[in-house]
């Protein structure tokens, strides 16, 4: 590293302000880098950012649209947060969401014009089952055959949309609309009865039911992680699997449980997609949306804290909404993904600042942490067991 | 199975397998140094987009346009890999999170599609396509002729790459150092190997190869642009590294197998086999899961283990 | 220490250094130190140390832990730079800025933690990082021949083609030495090399080191074991509290071991031996193991037919070379690892295999060898680590909820009682080694166990922490806890244990009475030697 002008020096205690301010620094830096790219490609970043902000928050109906966009991101963000803080790399929320949508839509269609009091919980449960089922495959493979979940969840993300395309386009399945005139032109999913549409709240600004569910789940999750025995076990196992095993924590079961919770949250997102918004299966839209991946950025931005996910989902939801709203006018496709990727990269990179401080120049400062630790560190390298053998 | 079907399948294996070989060997080098780069897909897409843009906007003879396009693709992949290496090697960020960040940043809904949209790449089909060469005039031999002697420069290059990679790993000092860095960076560092430099160099080489692999899609397979043109091939390349036990020769075989499977649906459908196309489309992904499960659960264990320090950041003070 | 005071000290020491360097030229020395001083804030680790090694000698650097041996060696090999003083090679002053520069001058150090890459072969490890010769190409056969030649010269038995991970610790150490010699080492510094060896392997090592010295190379042998020093070394320099407290030529004068010991520790006595139980092992057995076997992850056998019993208030020491099944034995007893066959009973009641919770509930406490990572979750607070096992108990919460205040209350009590320097919120990884071990012991001992399994409890600790930890163990035994003490340090076992069981290759080779045990015999058993010699005492177990 001689050619780099700064070094990283280990620090034992990060300053308290650092953690909470990191996400804001990351977002600002990502927007700045995005502006540079816009400038380089001949666009005016000030104008574009201004329009994005208006489209996200201040235009008529913008807030409602932002809340709509934030709903799936809040749920997939929670799915990623609960898994990633346990170091379970569930990248499969995308696929889990899709399979959940299929089951929820199936139940919704089957229930027909029944009361919402029946169909809504039924669809929620169906969605959870779908999400959990799709998450259990990699969970069991990891737990019992030690297959890394990174690749398996990812591969399943590519398989799930194929199932959707098959159901809606290449077959005459239960989910496909075979009657309405528009469906004869291009294949589309069967639409739910209007009585099964999930409710919205609020006047002027409409709050989707799924968003309310998401906020409640975020609070429950925060309580679970912070103040329960189960949450304690998750904390221990996340920090050191060996310590967890030593303490009698059944880490394998815990791993499966975490994947199940994560899959269930993605499942709620899938049910909400059908119940709140599309009211039918839309394979192309779901595949294009990449809610699962964006959810990871949402979770990372919140540093995997469930309550923080609520905020970051709102922010990233606004960005996504703006991307849809002004896309094509003068916002090149891909800019939103680019900025979200930058945010995630910067958040990941900023983690280092909690454990190291940057030191410019070459030589280390003298150790400021008193004498005791250093003395013993020195002893550890000396490592003798301190004592003559019996003569 | 008659001879033409065999030839068709093998040719398709080479056609679709070559980008997997290129990106896979690149990732293999990165992983041998202890760096797992999950952003291969993004680097491939960026390579595909920049190579296509260059070849479309370049005025001049085809071979110069193609050469420059390949160089641009490699440079793009290298640059992305350098950013990634800075994040995970110097800043010691989580390789999984940073890899996903690279994926979102450069991937199908990120920079690659941004470039395609400002360059309006989807408008026209390509002006240039990598030509096939027949250096020994042996292309007319039955079976082996079209397979071995009628390919484009990237295919020949990928074969050379596999051979060079094997020799490099096991017969050279830098290869020895590379293996040590990936297995046990602390010991390697103690013996005077520059861990950081090795990790940067091989991660960036991986980026260059991924960029070329991307270029193969827009310059060799089908000279045109659609968003997400690589369709997950980057992930299959990563899986291939695992299922080949981090060995170049096995990776080549695996890549061609996947190439064959990828083309199987198309080939069979033209021969009247009637199954939903999604089943064939899903095959490479399902096959990847099966292969990774087999490797991780059973006979993969023992000597054929992953590099010992794969995924771990290295810092002298922590060690 | 205030910064400016510190500076003044340094200037003063520079003056001293200059006068020392003038007065004592080190003409014939292969490696010499003159007035070496190195201060860390609050600690003067090296205080005007003089030291020299001439070609062809084995020179002992003797001292207790904390006496400054390690700091001195780090200065000699370029890991640290001295605040004052000079290092001379062949009489010429040198200023190493990195180990690589020390290598270039022919000075190599064999650390206790080897720098070997497990999956690579011996030959590959020997040339790793060596770019001075050989060029780009790695010619495996050539290197293997060269390595074999060096090994033969030193009577070291190592196959250059063998994979490191399949070698024993002793063989790995030989590879480290080969590595240094292959690179042209003329002075070799070995840091307590015999700690990981059986007495017989140590003898082999001595033969090889002697050969080196006879060939004109120099060896610096760091140790705190007097018998080894007198068996092997030509000269000895003794360090105490960062200063040279004496030196002697062992070839010329018959040096009294007690004299050296006094120079080394500054007092005559060592740690108190524990007063033995009147009738060790005759009390009611707390732990009984019969026919216990276990396998590791690859299915290869790591424990075979273990028969052991420990009585209330008894300390049973488990001696053995590292990696001979100690870890598996501890894990099987504590439920961390399931047994393949056999029975384990606590107070006469069988305990289920591979069930940590059952073991904890029944009163089996465990202080693992891997303190930071297994015994403690490094990223969690002291309070969380105190609750690591107890969080399930009803008194720490209600229903599914955990009561943070109650855990903290409990933690504060233990912090005081066990004298931990830290607060409830201190992260485990911020603790020093001694404090971390106190937290582990606080948690385990305060759980009021019937049986306490401790593995290498004092490794890496300074003398005062070591004394505290030993005291805690003795107190626990006096309170009636049965203790299994696993250690690689025979001295520690002989000081603390009532009986000594020796393990080799997963088998108990014999159980001896600690009062009567003879080091030679234990060494033989550690190597898997004949059981007959120890049979008389082994019978006592049954």
């Amino acid at each position: 590293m001689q050619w780099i002008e700064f070094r990283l020096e280990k620090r034992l205690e990060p300053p308290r302000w650092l953690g909470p301010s990191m996400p804001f620094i990351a977002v600002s830096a990502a927007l700045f880098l995005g502006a540079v790219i816009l400038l380089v490609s001949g666009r005016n970043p000030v104008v574009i950012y201004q329009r994005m902000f208006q489209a996200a928050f201040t235009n008529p109906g913008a807030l409602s649209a932002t809340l709509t966009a934030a709903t799936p991101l809040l749920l997939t963000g929670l799915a990623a947060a609960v898994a990633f803080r346990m170091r379970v790399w569930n990248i499969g929320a995308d696929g889990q969401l899709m399979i959940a949508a299929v089951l929820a839509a199936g139940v919704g269609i089957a229930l027909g014009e029944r009361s919402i009091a029946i169909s809504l919980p039924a669809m929620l449960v169906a969605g959870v089952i779908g999400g959990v089922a799709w998450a259990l495959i990699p969970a069991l493979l990891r737990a019992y055959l030690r297959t890394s979940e990174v690749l398996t969840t990812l591969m399943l993300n590519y398989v799930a949309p194929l199932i959707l395309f098959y159901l809606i386009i290449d077959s005459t399945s239960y989910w496909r609309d075979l009657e309405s005139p528009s469906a004869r032109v291009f294949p589309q999913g069967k639409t739910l009865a209007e009585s099964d549409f999930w409710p919205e709240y609020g006047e002027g600004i409409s709050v989707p039911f799924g968003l309310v569910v998401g906020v409640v789940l975020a609070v429950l999750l925060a309580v679970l992680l912070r103040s329960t025995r189960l949450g304690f076990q998750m904390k221990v196992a996340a920090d050191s699997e060996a310590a967890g095993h030593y303490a009698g924590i059944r880490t394998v079961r815990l791993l499966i449980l975490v994947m199940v919770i994560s899959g269930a949250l993605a499942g709620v997102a899938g049910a909400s997609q059908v119940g709140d918004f599309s009211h039918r299966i839309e394979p192309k839209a779901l595949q294009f949306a990449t809610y699962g991946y964006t959810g990871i950025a949402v979770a990372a931005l919140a540093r995997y804290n469930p309550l923080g996910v609520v905020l970051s989902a709102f922010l990233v939801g606004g960005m996504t909404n703006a991307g849809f709203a002004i896309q094509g006018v003068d916002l090149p496709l891909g800019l939103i993904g680019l900025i979200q990727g930058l945010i995630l990269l910067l958040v990941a990179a900023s983690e280092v600042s909690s454990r190291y401080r940057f030191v410019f120049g070459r030589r280390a400062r003298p150790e400021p942490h008193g004498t005791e630790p250093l003395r013993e560190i020195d002893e550890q390298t000396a490592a003798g067991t301190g004592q003559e053998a019996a003569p | 199975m008659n001879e033409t079907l065999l030839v068709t399948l093998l040719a398709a294996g080479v056609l679709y397998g070559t980008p997997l070989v290129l990106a896979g060997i690149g990732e293999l080098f990165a992983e041998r140094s202890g760096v797992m780069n999950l952003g291969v897909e993004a680097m491939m897409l960026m390579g595909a987009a920049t190579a296509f843009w260059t070849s479309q906007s370049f005025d001049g003879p085809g071979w110069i346009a193609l050469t420059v396009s390949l160089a641009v693709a490699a440079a793009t992949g290298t640059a992305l890999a350098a950013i990634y290496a800075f994040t995970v090697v110097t800043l010691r960020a989580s390789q999984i999170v940073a890899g996903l960040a690279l994926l979102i940043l450069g991937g199908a809904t990120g920079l690659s599609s941004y470039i395609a949209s400002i360059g309006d790449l989807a408008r026209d089909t390509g002006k240039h396509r990598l030509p096939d060469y027949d250096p020994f005039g042996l292309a007319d031999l039955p079976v082996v002729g079209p397979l071995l002697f009628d390919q484009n420069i990237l295919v020949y290059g990928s074969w050379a790459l596999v051979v060079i990679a094997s020799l490099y790993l096991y017969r050279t000092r830098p290869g020895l150092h590379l293996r040590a860095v990936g297995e046990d960076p602390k010991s390697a560092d103690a013996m005077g190997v520059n861990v950081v430099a090795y990790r940067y160099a091989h991660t960036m080489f991986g980026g260059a190869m991924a960029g070329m692999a991307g270029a193969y899609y827009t310059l060799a397979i089908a000279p045109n642009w659609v968003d997400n043109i690589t369709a997950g091939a980057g992930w299959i390349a990563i899986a291939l590294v695992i299922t080949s036990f981090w060995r170049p020769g096995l990776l080549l075989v695996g890549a061609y197998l996947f190439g064959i499977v990828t083309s199987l649906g198309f080939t069979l459908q033209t021969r009247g086999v009637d199954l939903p196309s999604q089943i064939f489309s899903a095959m490479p992904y399902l096959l990847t899961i099966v292969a990774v499960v087999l490797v991780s659960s059973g006979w993969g264990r023992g000597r054929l283990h992953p590099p010992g320090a794969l995924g771990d950041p290295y810092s002298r003070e922590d060690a | 220490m205030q910064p400016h005071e510190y500076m003044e000290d340094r200037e003063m020491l520079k003056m001293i250094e200059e006068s020392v360097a003038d007065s004592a030229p080190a003409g014939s020395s292969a490696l010499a130190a003159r007035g070496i001083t190195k201060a860390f804030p609050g600690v003067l680790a090296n205080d005007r140390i003089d030291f020299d090694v001439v070609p062809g000698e084995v020179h002992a650097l003797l001292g207790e832990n904390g006496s400054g041996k390690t700091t001195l060696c780090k200065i000699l090999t370029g890991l640290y730079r001295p605040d004052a003083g000079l290092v001379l090679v062949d009489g010429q002053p040198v200023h190493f800025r990195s180990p690589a520069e020390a290598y270039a001058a022919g000075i190599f150090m064999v650390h206790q933690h080897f720098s070997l890459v497990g999956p690579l072969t011996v030959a590959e490890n020997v040339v790793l990082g060596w770019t001075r010769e050989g060029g780009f190409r790695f010619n495996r056969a050539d290197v293997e021949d060269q390595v074999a030649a060096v090994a033969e010269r030193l009577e070291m038995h190592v196959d250059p083609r063998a994979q490191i991970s399949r070698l024993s610790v002793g063989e790995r150490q030989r590879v480290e030495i080969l590595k240094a010699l292959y690179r042209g080492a003329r002075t070799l510094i070995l840091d307590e090399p015999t700690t990981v060896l059986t007495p017989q392997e140590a003898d082999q090592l001595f033969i090889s080191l002697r050969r080196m010295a006879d060939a004109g190379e120099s060896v610096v042998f760091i140790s705190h074991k007097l018998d080894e020093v007198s068996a092997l070394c030509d000269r000895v320099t003794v360090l105490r509290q960062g200063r040279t407290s004496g030196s002697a030529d062992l070839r010329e004068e018959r040096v009294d071991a007690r004299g050296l010991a006094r120079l080394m520790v500054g007092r005559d006595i060592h740690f108190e031996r524990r007063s033995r139980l009147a009738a060790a092992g005759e009390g009611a057995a707390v732990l009984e193991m019969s026919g216990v076997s276990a396998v590791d992850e690859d299915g290869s056998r790591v424990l075979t037919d273990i028969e052991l019993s420990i009585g209330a208030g008894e300390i049973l020491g488990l001696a053995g070379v590292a990696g001979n099944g100690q870890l598996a034995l501890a894990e099987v007893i504590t439920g961390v690892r399931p047994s393949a066959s056999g029975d384990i009973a606590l107070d006469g009641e069988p305990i289920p295999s591979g069930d940590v919770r059952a073991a904890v509930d029944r009163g089996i406490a465990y202080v693992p060898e891997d303190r930071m990572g297994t015994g403690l979750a490094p990223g969690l607070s002291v309070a969380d680590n105190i609750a690591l096992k107890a969080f399930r108990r009803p008194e720490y919460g209600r229903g599914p909820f955990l009561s943070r205040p109650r855990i903290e209350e409990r933690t504060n009590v233990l912090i005081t009682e066990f004298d931990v320097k830290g607060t409830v919120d201190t992260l485990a990884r911020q603790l020093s080694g001694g404090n971390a071990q106190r937290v582990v012991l606080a948690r385990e001992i305060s759980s009021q166990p019937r049986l306490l399994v401790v593995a290498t409890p004092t490794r890496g600790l300074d003398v005062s922490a070591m004394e505290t930890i030993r005291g805690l163990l003795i107190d626990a035994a006096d309170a009636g806890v049965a203790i299994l003490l696993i250690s690689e340090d025979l001295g520690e076992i002989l000081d603390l244990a009532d009986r000594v069981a020796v393990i080799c290759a997963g088998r108990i080779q014999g159980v001896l009475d600690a009062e009567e045990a003879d080091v030679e015999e234990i060494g033989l058993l550690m190597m898997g030697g004949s059981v007959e010699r120890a049979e008389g005492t082994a019978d006592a177990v049954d």
Side-chain angles (χ1 to χ4, degrees), chain A residues 151-170:
Chain A
L151 277 171
T152 49
T153 51
L154 219 122
M155 289 295 126
L156 289 173
N157 279 350
Y158 283 93
V159 175
L162 293 172
I163 295 178
L164 268 59
F165 280 111
Y166 174 74
L167 292 176
I168 305 302
I169 294 170
D170 274 6

Side-chain angles (χ1 to χ4, degrees), chain A residues 84-109:
Chain A
F84 275 44
R85 65 186 288 146
M86 268 284 289
R87 291 169 212 244
V88 176
W89 311 108
N90 178 17
I91 308 171
D94 232 37
Q96 289 146 21
L97 183 153
M98 290 183 209
I99 300 302
V102 170
L103 289 204
V107 167
I109 296 165

Side-chain angles (χ1 to χ4, degrees), chain B residues 246-311:
Chain B
W246 293 266
R247 275 157 180 73
L250 284 174
L251 190 137
L252 181 84
V253 176
Y256 287 167
L257 263 178
F258 273 93
I260 290 173
V261 171
T262 306
S263 71
L264 200 62
F266 185 72
T267 312
L268 288 182
Q269 267 174 341
T270 57
R271 279 155 204 265
V273 178
D274 191 26
L275 279 170
S277 67
Q278 285 84 9
I279 290 185
F280 295 109
S281 304
M283 282 301 273
Y285 310 118
L286 295 176
L287 193 65
T288 300
I289 294 177
V290 171
V292 175
V293 166
L294 284 179
V295 168
S296 59
S297 63
W299 22 279
R301 294 275 179 68
R303 281 204 64 175
L304 300 169
H305 60 88
L310 184 59

Side-chain angles (χ1 to χ4, degrees), chain A residues 1-4 6-10 37-39 41 43 84 89 91 141 145-148 150-152 154-156 158-159 161-163 165-166 169-170 287-288 290 293-294 296-297 300 304 331-338 340-342 344-345 348-352 355-356 358, chain B residues 36 38 41 83-84 86-87 89-94 96-106 108-111 113-115 117-118 194 196-197 200 227-228 231-233 235-236 238-239 242 276-278 281-286 288-289 292-294 296-297 301 315 317-318:
Chain A
M1 231 162 51
Q2 293 88 336
W3 50 277
I4 291 175
F6 68 87
R7 311 182 311 114
L8 297 178
E9 196 170 90
K10 206 169 176 174
I37 291 173
L38 281 170
L39 266 179
S41 51
R43 304 291 198 279
F84 275 44
W89 311 108
I91 308 171
L141 289 177
L145 298 174
R146 297 190 217 177
T147 308
S148 157
V150 174
L151 277 171
T152 49
L154 219 122
M155 289 295 126
L156 289 173
Y158 283 93
V159 175
L162 293 172
I163 295 178
F165 280 111
Y166 174 74
I169 294 170
D170 274 6
Q287 190 188 27
F288 182 72
T290 62
Y293 300 103
T294 313
I296 294 168
Y304 313 112
L331 179 78
L333 209 65
L335 179 71
I336 300 301
L338 169 65
Q340 287 171 354
L342 282 171
L344 186 55
L345 193 69
S350 72
E351 285 297 314
V352 70
R355 292 197 60 198
Y356 300 89
F358 293 85
Chain B
M36 179 171 59
L38 294 183
E41 178 82 359
I83 295 171
Y84 177 76
F86 179 70
T87 317
V89 178
T90 302
L91 298 182
R92 296 161 208 160
S94 153
I96 290 180
V97 178
L100 291 173
L102 191 60
L103 183 79
I104 296 174
L105 191 159
T109 58
L111 197 54
S113 115
Y114 181 90
I115 287 174
S117 109
I118 57 174
N194 189 334
V196 171
Y200 264 92
D227 273 359
N228 200 16
W235 291 103
I236 292 176
I238 294 173
I242 299 172
S277 67
Q278 285 84 9
S281 304
M283 282 301 273
Y285 310 118
L286 295 176
T288 300
I289 294 177
V292 175
V293 166
L294 284 179
S296 59
S297 63
R301 294 275 179 68
S315 118
E317 298 128 81
D318 280 352

Side-chain angles (χ1 to χ4, degrees), chain C residues 44-120:
Chain C
L44 200 53
N46 277 186
D47 185 5
R48 287 161 284 164
I49 288 182
D50 291 337
F51 173 69
D52 67 285
V53 200
V54 297
E57 76 167 347
V58 181
H59 192 122
L61 196 54
L62 190 67
E64 277 195 311
N65 281 309
S67 60
K69 294 175 297 193
T70 305
T71 305
L72 176 62
C73 289
K74 285 185 174 171
I75 289 169
L76 292 176
T77 53
L79 273 161
Y80 290 163
R81 284 203 242 178
D83 297 334
L86 276 179
V87 176
L88 303 104
V89 174
D90 297 329
Q92 297 303 311
V94 287
H95 299 278
F96 298 140
R97 277 165 304 183
S98 71
E101 294 185 6
Y103 293 168
I107 298 163
F108 285 77
M109 182 155 176
V110 175
H111 294 271
Q112 288 195 314
H113 300 281
F114 305 144
S115 295
L116 295 172
V117 181
L120 302 188

Side-chain angles (χ1 to χ4, degrees), chain B residues 144-240:
Chain B
V144 294
L147 284 177
L148 296 183
F149 302 110
D150 192 20
Q151 302 285 4
N152 65 50
I153 186 78
L154 280 182
V155 176
Y156 294 128
S158 73
W159 293 342
L161 183 65
V162 169
V163 175
I164 292 169
S166 293
L167 290 175
Y168 176 76
L169 274 176
Y170 298 105
R171 300 281 168 87
T172 69
R173 303 261 171 161
L176 170 64
H177 295 172
L178 172 65
R179 287 184 285 141
V181 165
E183 293 290 354
D184 185 351
K186 191 175 173 233
S187 294
D189 187 23
M191 297 326 296
V193 179
N194 189 334
V195 173
V196 171
Y198 267 82
R199 289 195 162 175
Y200 264 92
H202 291 91
T203 305
M204 285 163 68
F205 176 78
M209 290 300 110
M212 301 265 252
Y216 185 87
Y217 281 87
T218 46
L219 300 181
I221 294 184
N224 56 31
W225 174 264
V226 287
D227 273 359
N228 200 16
I229 192 170
T230 53
W235 291 103
I236 292 176
I238 294 173
L240 271 173

Side-chain angles (χ1 to χ4, degrees), chain A residues 211-234:
Chain A
L211 189 71
V212 178
V213 175
V215 172
V216 171
L217 287 174
V219 173
L220 287 180
L221 213 55
V223 172
L224 171 82
L225 294 173
R226 196 166 298 168
S227 359
T228 66
R229 297 183 206 249
L230 179 63
F232 181 80
Q233 295 182 50
M234 288 166 66

Side-chain angles (χ1 to χ4, degrees), chain C residues 7-20:
Chain C
M7 288 308 295
E8 281 172 16
D9 275 2
R10 288 184 60 166
E11 280 162 24
M12 191 186 74
L13 290 166
K14 264 245 151 52
M15 282 162 50
I16 296 171
E17 166 218 318
E18 280 157 13
S19 64
V20 167

